[in-house]
Amino acid sequence: MPAKDLNAVTKKYKDHRYARKGVKPVVEDPQGDKAKKVWLISDAAGTAEAVREVAGERVEVDVPLTHTNYTAYEILCDLLPVGMTVPSSFEGVGHIAHINLKDEQHKYRFLIGKVILDKNPAIKTVVNKLGTIGSEFREFQFELLAGVPEYKATVRQHSCTFTFNYDKVYWNSRLQTEHTRLVEIIGKDDILADVMAGVGPFAVPAAKKGIRVFSNDLNPESYAAMVQNAAANGVAKRCTCSNLDGRVFVRNMRDLLLTEATEEGRAFLQGNGDVHFSMNLPATAVEFLDAFRDWGPEAASSRAVIHVYCFSSAVDFKADALRMAQEHLGSTLAAQIAEPSVHHVRNVAPKKEMCCVSFRLASLDASRKRKRADGDDHPDSSDSKHSRTT
């Protein structure tokens, strides 16, 4: 087509141009006519008809292509057996690509890893998840598929920087939206008590917002990374970290709240609003709710707002999540859970949903008195021998 018509044609028919990474949609006339340009159109159905009115002649040109012009998905579609599900995404954790391959893809795992490494310049390490998270410290079990065995990663989220050893702690980049949601509902006069804090994805952004934070994790590696991340983001003075069992941490927070009657206690807590307990260990967090059964007096318990995460495979997963919370508190909804809500976090797997149950802890002293009056008191099982860890 005449070079003078190029801008008008490109603007009008831009949806029909040939779009390929690294290929310019306009090339020189193969006959060497400087007054003409060749506009490359796609081979999609309907394109030829759509641009039929364009003033110009149809010509064929050779466009050299290499693997650099194709996406990882396109390359894998060509390399893997016909009919096999092709991996289309991965979780990026700093320089690490974490994929979760299906059984049918296992034979080709190193090929898949090599393609992902080749097509993503920022990726230096590709790993495949092995099995489920079974350790009490929540470490991932994975296999190196491509790249270097370097697992110390740095991630940027919520305007904060997190550094940790990915093979020794739990981290899930897909929960970034949930981290933001929870931090946003906590007021600056409130306190965040993060029972299963990991490396600090809730705690550090909350402290950066100006919230007083107490963060805890049983995993020594997570605790060390949490301390480092709080310092690296300039919030160490507002973020008190601990390395305790979750139940012990909850009871310590209860004792701290009871010290508010003293000047020293008020200075240490630095917050006079609600105390938000985040319990982000979906597999078992609801079991730790029994640590709240012996809370009191009313001034301490009524300030507690609990956000407990869990998994559910029920059809009505929100009702099931609330049921689990009530069951482990050992109470009825009216007695101990006030202002309940259930937030759907994400679909984890087929028929497996992750939810967050949020509620205000009502006065336990008052609820127990009501139940004793009705002859329906339950034994306190907070000192159960089956103590679980975070």
Side-chain angles (χ1 to χ4, degrees), residues 144-218:
L144 178 67
L145 299 185
V148 296
E150 174 54 62
Y151 303 120
K152 186 172 184 178
T154 298
V155 178
R156 184 92 175 154
Q157 278 192 6
H158 322 291
S159 300
C160 300
T161 300
F162 300 91
T163 300
F164 48 85
N165 292 315
Y166 189 52
D167 58 333
K168 295 180 180 179
V169 304
Y170 178 82
W171 176 270
N172 191 336
S173 299
R174 295 184 177 92
L175 294 176
Q176 180 174 359
T177 300
E178 179 59 18
H179 298 154
T180 301
R181 183 191 74 87
L182 188 61
V183 171
E184 286 180 348
I185 66 177
I186 302 175
K188 288 188 177 181
D189 290 332
D190 294 342
I191 294 171
L192 171 62
D194 200 347
V195 186
M196 298 101 172
V199 302
F202 283 119
V204 173
K208 202 162 187 177
K209 180 181 174 180
I211 297 167
R212 180 67 168 106
V213 174
F214 295 85
S215 56
N216 172 76
D217 202 275
L218 183 67

Side-chain angles (χ1 to χ4, degrees), residues 327-344:
E327 177 182 309
H328 288 284
L329 266 175
S331 67
T332 63
L333 176 63
Q336 287 184 323
I337 297 180
E339 307 168 22
S341 67
V342 182
H343 172 71
H344 181 223

Side-chain angles (χ1 to χ4, degrees), residues 13 39 41 46-58:
Y13 299 104
W39 187 61
I41 64 173
T47 293
E49 291 74 13
V51 299
R52 190 180 301 278
E53 63 185 74
V54 174
E57 58 182 306
R58 297 288 295 273

Side-chain angles (χ1 to χ4, degrees), residues 280-303:
N280 186 17
L281 182 62
T284 58
V286 290
E287 299 176 20
F288 288 79
L289 288 175
D290 62 10
F292 290 95
R293 292 187 189 182
D294 56 357
W295 267 55
E298 184 175 353
S301 61
S302 63
R303 288 182 60 189

Side-chain angles (χ1 to χ4, degrees), residues 58-73:
R58 297 288 295 273
V59 297
E60 291 187 4
V61 295
D62 291 328
V63 179
L65 299 176
T66 68
H67 79 287
T68 60
N69 302 114
Y70 292 87
T71 66
Y73 180 79

